Amino acid sequence: MTLQIKNLEEYNEAYKHSVDDPEGFWAEQAETFKWMKKWDEVLEWDFKGPDVKWFKGGKLNITENCLDRHLEDRADQVAILWEPNDPKADVIAYTYKELHEAVCKAANALKANGVEKGDRVCFYMPMVPELAIGVLACARIGAVHSVVFAGFSSSALADRIKDATCKMVICSDYNHRGTKNIPVKNVVDEAIGMGCDSVETVLVHKNTGADIAWNDKLDKWWHDEVDNQSADCPAEQMDAEDMLFILYTSGSTGKPKGVVHTCGGYMVYTCFSFKNVFQYKEGDVYWCTADIGWITGHSYIVYGPLLAGATTMMFEGVPTYPDAGRFWEICDKHRVNQFYTAPTAIRALMAQGDEYVDKYDLSSLKVIGSVGEPINEEAWNWYNQKVGRGNAPIVDTWWQTETGGILISPLPGITDTKPCYASYPLPGVQPVLLDADGNLIEGNDVEGLLCMKFPWPSILRTTYGEHERCRQVYFSSFENMYFTGDGARRDANGRYRVIGRVDDVINVSGHRMGTAEVENAINEHDNIVESAVVGYPHDIKGQGIYAYVITNHAITDEEAFRKEIKAVVTKMIGPIAKPDMIQIVPGLPKTRSGKIMRRILRKVASGKSDELGDTSTLLNPEIVEAVKEGAAALKKG
Ligand code: PRX
């Protein structure tokens, strides 16, 4: 089995081994998996290209390692435990044997509908077991999955379907979320209507049974296609470097990019990191509250846990339905041992009052995790005391869509924890801090730009169809370095604290958002001349979205206008990108070369108008006063 570090000495030893002899270290881990053919070379890499190959020449299928491999010793153990939105509805459990069968049937259905190795399949689904089954079915036959979070708008979905020229879309009819019933299929229909010509089939999972529009040319029911298939589907032989999936994420330039992960390295790293960060033990129940539409769900609901033979829970609902105690009720009900969520959820639940958490028995929790954004000290302390009850170490896990797996995190009970610190790198991870000129910042108690100087197995390989963009965004800022886009501090003991993005990306409720993307959406409104979007500190969301807009003609009803702006953003991207604050300005502060001075806009949005420094060198210094006054007035409401 993959190495599971048990104490500090073993961590130090493993870390040293992984740095002194990365190839030897990762070969040892990789050998614990089932390969159809062993690799010829452990690692070939060059960050200039970039060109990174792990386990070159190796052949495998990740689902054999997630499923078939477990049939011998844990066929009847629960693999996926599904908790429905409605607390009174039935829980569904798939054992490893049942999951294997379900995946094979779905894989045969994909094949019967013309999906072949290398074809892209888009998922736009709620958190139902069929989503995990469908994703694994793709991996079984070598099709590439591209899961799109079901909160994105039809327009955002269409962009992603077109970018990856998906052959099939798999969706549900409707989605239960709290008290809402969301028309998922309808959104897919709209997206298809936006010129997604590559789509040959829309496979619809009947989730709520509500009426939906039907297109005989494209639409097929999941149950009609899947249920009668054979439960035997041999796993396609994949090269270690064949694409496993694409996942779109926002960057500092306009269009989201399709991050590409490949089969071999991703398999080895997600299993290794899962076992070590969560210290999963046989018989434990593990729950990650993320959505499979994000990388956290890919790596730590589906692949990592299943590779490790764990029982992984999927939750259909939201943390506040029927009330703010739902997470804790579920932890109590299923005797959850490892719980993994986002700071934004912790802050939102903390704000509802302690009575919701105090009444549940959370003694089963051994490890509690945090992911997606910096966790502030107050939330960390509350999580530690109220949820962990002082007995469950917090793993503040730092990573990204591009890293595929957790790179920096405490190992619970092994390395120490400190509020706000993701702390130490996992074995195989070599972080460095650089200054803006690319000089290495050595020693401790320092701050800089977080980079990685050596590849780990699940590093992104490219961005789909745009290799040059991948090079530019991640590998061109500093020579021979992967640049994360984050700023970090290293404390006196060498622990890392990730402070946040240093580029034009903001992190709203743990969701990554490109400011340019939101601006492009706002600019779709007829009455907008120009806009600038920045993040500002938000008590619950971590960062809120603050939009400065210049209008074509004067606005009489500002409230109605703000609603229109929000509607346009919801239409172009989705509700998660709606600005929290919209300030109408006569102009935007610009440099003499015409670049928007975001530094000033960020300060004003953050209520730090008195810290702007010298603004006299601007092209239009007079505008700063107007922006400041407008912000003050907006705040007063
Ligand atoms: O800024 C960092 C922040 O989230 C970014 C990655 O976002 P995404 O690709 O959507 O992946 C989120 C889930 C892995 C990072 O560049 N971030 C993530 N985890 C942390 C974090 N910031 C501080 N602390 C963390 N633990």
Side-chain angles (χ1 to χ4, degrees), residues 296 372-374 396-401 486 498 501 507 512:
T296 308
E373 52 180 319
D396 176 358
T397 63
W398 176 86
W399 59 299
Q400 310 177 294
T401 305
D486 280 333
V498 174
R501 305 288 306 194
N507 196 323
R512 209 162 127 178

Side-chain angles (χ1 to χ4, degrees), residues 109-167:
L110 295 183
K111 280 206 251 181
N113 281 284
V115 178
E116 292 173 7
K117 180 175 178 175
D119 285 343
R120 275 82 52 214
V121 175
C122 176
F123 288 82
Y124 187 79
M125 283 179 95
M127 285 288 287
V128 291
E130 286 74 9
L131 172 53
I133 291 166
V135 157
L136 292 165
C138 285
R140 187 81 177 171
I141 64 169
V144 176
H145 53 81
S146 166
V147 183
V148 177
F149 173 62
F152 278 114
S153 69
S154 53
S155 161
L157 173 62
D159 287 346
R160 287 156 176 77
I161 295 173
K162 284 189 237 175
D163 189 75
T165 54
C166 294
K167 196 172 198 175

Side-chain angles (χ1 to χ4, degrees), residues 247-250 259 294-297 300 340 343 370-375 395-403 405-406 408 420-422 450 482 484-487 497-503 505-507 510-513:
L247 186 57
Y248 285 86
T249 189
S250 296
V259 167
W294 310 111
I295 190 70
T296 308
Y300 300 112
Y340 193 28
S370 169
V371 59
E373 52 180 319
I375 176 165
V395 287
D396 176 358
T397 63
W398 176 86
W399 59 299
Q400 310 177 294
T401 305
E402 295 84 346
T403 70
I406 297 165
I408 306 182
C420 312
Y421 278 77
L450 181 64
Y482 165 79
T484 65
D486 280 333
R497 169 182 189 164
V498 174
I499 298 158
R501 305 288 306 194
V502 295
D503 52 9
V505 169
I506 50 183
N507 196 323
H511 301 323
R512 209 162 127 178
M513 207 73 67

Side-chain angles (χ1 to χ4, degrees), residues 30-50:
E31 268 156 17
T32 64
F33 293 85
K34 183 172 190 291
W35 294 81
M36 294 167 173
K37 175 185 167 287
K38 197 175 165 175
W39 55 89
D40 304 316
E41 219 178 310
V42 178
L43 172 65
E44 191 181 280
W45 72 287
D46 163 20
F47 276 173
K48 280 196 195 71

